[in-house]
Amino acid sequence: MADSKYTLKELTLYFLKLGTIGFGGPVALVGYMHKDLVENRKWISEEEYKQGLALAQLAPGPLAAQLGIYIGFVHYRLLGATLIGFAFVLPSFLMVVLLGIVYKLYGGLSWIQAVFYGVGAAVIGLIMVSSYKLTVKSIGKFNIESFKINWLLWLFFLITLGVTFITQQEPVLLFIAAGFLYMLIKAPPKWLNSKSINSIVLLQVPFWNYESETLLKIAIFFAQAGTFVFGSGLAIVPFLHSGVVIENHWLTEQQFLDSVAVAMITPGPVVITVGFIGYLVDGFLGALVAALATFLPCYLFTVAMAPSFHKIAKNKSVKSFVDGITAAVIGALVGSVFVIASRTIIDIPTVIIAVATITTLLYVKNIAEPYIILIAAAVGLIIKLI
């Protein structure tokens, strides 16, 4: 590594600022990092940035947070990765906890309910557009050529979409199966031809532990969810919806949708919604445990893979495994959108708000998501209280 052109303090303060004012979701955040750190300040080389982005796309974890952790690792190793991870996530974590306090205190008031009536429909529109963009980016465009070339990925997508919609649960085993199957077909690893396959032992850890205390259940659940977030923070939605609303009954459908909305109106990674959810479930410790558990897999994967990423990036088996899982996870995301929409889009005004949100995002350039959320909140107030 070349000598760094910046101090660890300078980099930490930069990510603290980005986590405080960085709106727009993962794509916008990684764009800010490139413009600020590669083009303007020239702290990070183009090659280092591209390697970090490739790692963030290959390994599980929210894209922007993982890229930030990698950038911290480039010149300052473990300490840099740790400080940058905390600096980037801390501002939005504190914001969602404060919003959680307000929500708990005033959530039963009619004006708050009116606000989230409009916001809920807008969030459905936001997730639908994000799901569409994520599908096109990760699997392919919705055309005959893409269906022919990536037919197996589209099959994984449709299967997990259907299973998620019908069962209203996240098909974790299907994700793993899709990854292994795609890897075996596209790029079977060399060890499959050796005797070592007989020595592989699958570690089976129960996804749910109903006998444990709430904090332990939160830790296990959110760590599992964080392990399957590929590329976009919104990919965590089907896991959260299934576990938080359906399995554990920690939140109502409306509370869950409000939690996603809170993540949309705060800066930093979208995944920080887990802090808001954790607070509603079990207070500040619940928020802290949920956030730490969600981001821990992202941190560990980045730190573990960064030193040898040159070799990992060239491994076609690893790439195929990730492609298979990604297609399945996106299918589950789209399926969960349908599930949530069926309970949120309940009348003509909510239909109009959702459609208007989708249309705006697709045809109006450079509009920030928080503005859409605020407009939807105002519309909800007008409809319900006037």
Side-chain angles (χ1 to χ4, degrees):
M1 291 286 179
D3 292 335
S4 63
K5 302 174 183 177
Y6 54 91
T7 65
L8 181 55
K9 178 182 177 181
E10 288 175 323
L11 189 65
T12 303
L13 289 175
Y14 168 78
F15 274 96
L16 193 64
K17 179 182 177 182
L18 184 63
T20 305
I21 63 174
F23 287 96
V27 175
L29 290 171
V30 298
Y32 296 146
M33 292 180 209
H34 185 271
K35 181 180 179 181
D36 295 336
L37 301 180
V38 179
E39 295 179 1
N40 295 341
R41 306 188 189 190
K42 302 187 187 303
W43 287 355
I44 303 295
S45 70
E46 187 73 37
E47 182 181 358
E48 289 168 338
Y49 176 86
K50 287 180 178 178
Q51 287 177 0
L53 189 59
L55 187 151
Q57 291 172 326
L58 266 182
L63 184 69
Q66 200 158 10
L67 178 57
I69 291 170
Y70 180 84
I71 289 174
F73 185 88
V74 168
H75 289 293
Y76 291 99
R77 300 301 175 186
L78 192 61
L79 178 61
T82 305
L83 284 178
I84 296 312
F86 274 109
F88 187 41
V89 174
L90 183 62
S92 54
F93 172 75
L94 294 176
M95 290 179 202
V96 297
V97 168
L98 290 174
L99 287 171
I101 294 171
V102 173
Y103 188 86
K104 264 195 169 182
L105 288 174
Y106 303 109
L109 299 182
S110 58
W111 69 270
I112 285 286
Q113 294 173 352
V115 164
F116 282 104
Y117 167 81
V119 167
V123 168
I124 291 297
L126 287 168
I127 299 177
M128 284 183 174
V129 173
S130 296
S131 300
Y132 168 76
K133 291 180 178 178
L134 195 59
T135 303
V136 171
K137 178 182 177 183
S138 301
I139 304 178
K141 295 182 179 180
F142 289 84
N143 56 40
I144 299 298
E145 184 179 358
S146 175
F147 297 152
K148 287 181 179 179
I149 296 174
N150 298 320
W151 67 270
L152 189 56
L153 294 179
W154 283 111
L155 181 62
F156 295 155
F157 172 87
L158 292 173
I159 290 173
T160 53
L161 190 162
V163 170
T164 302
F165 181 71
I166 294 170
T167 65
Q168 299 186 15
Q169 296 183 16
E170 76 289 353
V172 177
L173 293 179
L174 271 181
F175 300 156
I176 299 172
F180 272 113
L181 181 58
Y182 198 67
M183 177 183 70
L184 293 177
I185 293 173
K186 288 291 183 179
K190 294 179 180 179
W191 52 259
L192 277 178
N193 298 321
S194 67
K195 296 180 181 179
S196 62
I197 188 172
N198 297 321
S199 65
I200 294 177
V201 178
L202 294 178
L203 179 63
Q204 296 182 348
V205 181
F207 188 68
W208 303 109
N209 189 346
Y210 293 103
E211 303 298 323
S212 31
E213 295 294 328
T214 303
L215 281 178
L216 181 58
K217 289 175 70 176
I218 288 174
I220 294 172
F221 169 68
F222 283 98
Q224 290 280 354
T227 303
F228 288 92
V229 181
F230 283 84
S232 169
L234 287 175
I236 204 173
V237 168
F239 295 93
L240 297 185
H241 182 261
S242 174
V244 171
V245 178
I246 299 171
E247 296 291 336
N248 282 312
H249 305 290
W250 283 333
L251 301 183
T252 65
E253 195 78 45
Q254 185 60 51
Q255 287 174 324
F256 176 76
L257 204 61
D258 297 345
S259 302
V260 178
V262 164
M264 296 290 189
I265 63 174
T266 52
V270 176
V271 176
I272 202 59
T273 185
V274 299
F276 186 85
I277 293 172
Y279 181 83
L280 295 187
V281 175
D282 207 27
F284 178 75
L285 279 181
L288 187 62
V289 169
L292 289 175
T294 302
F295 284 95
L296 184 61
C298 158
Y299 172 81
L300 293 177
F301 273 108
T302 304
V303 170
M305 292 174 64
S308 57
F309 185 65
H310 287 290
K311 295 180 180 179
I312 297 172
K314 295 177 182 178
N315 190 310
K316 293 182 179 180
S317 298
V318 173
K319 180 69 167 59
S320 298
F321 178 74
V322 172
D323 287 344
I325 283 189
T326 301
V329 169
I330 295 170
L333 172 60
V334 176
S336 70
V337 173
F338 286 125
V339 172
I340 302 170
S342 66
R343 300 169 184 174
T344 307
I345 310 300
I346 54 176
D347 51 25
I348 293 177
T350 50
V351 170
I352 294 173
I353 293 171
V355 171
T357 300
I358 293 171
T359 304
T360 302
L361 287 171
L362 290 177
Y363 295 104
V364 179
K365 294 183 178 181
N366 301 323
I367 185 167
E369 292 176 350
Y371 291 126
I372 294 176
I373 296 293
L374 291 174
I375 293 170
V379 171
L381 278 171
I382 293 170
I383 293 174
K384 286 293 185 179
L385 299 183
I386 296 179

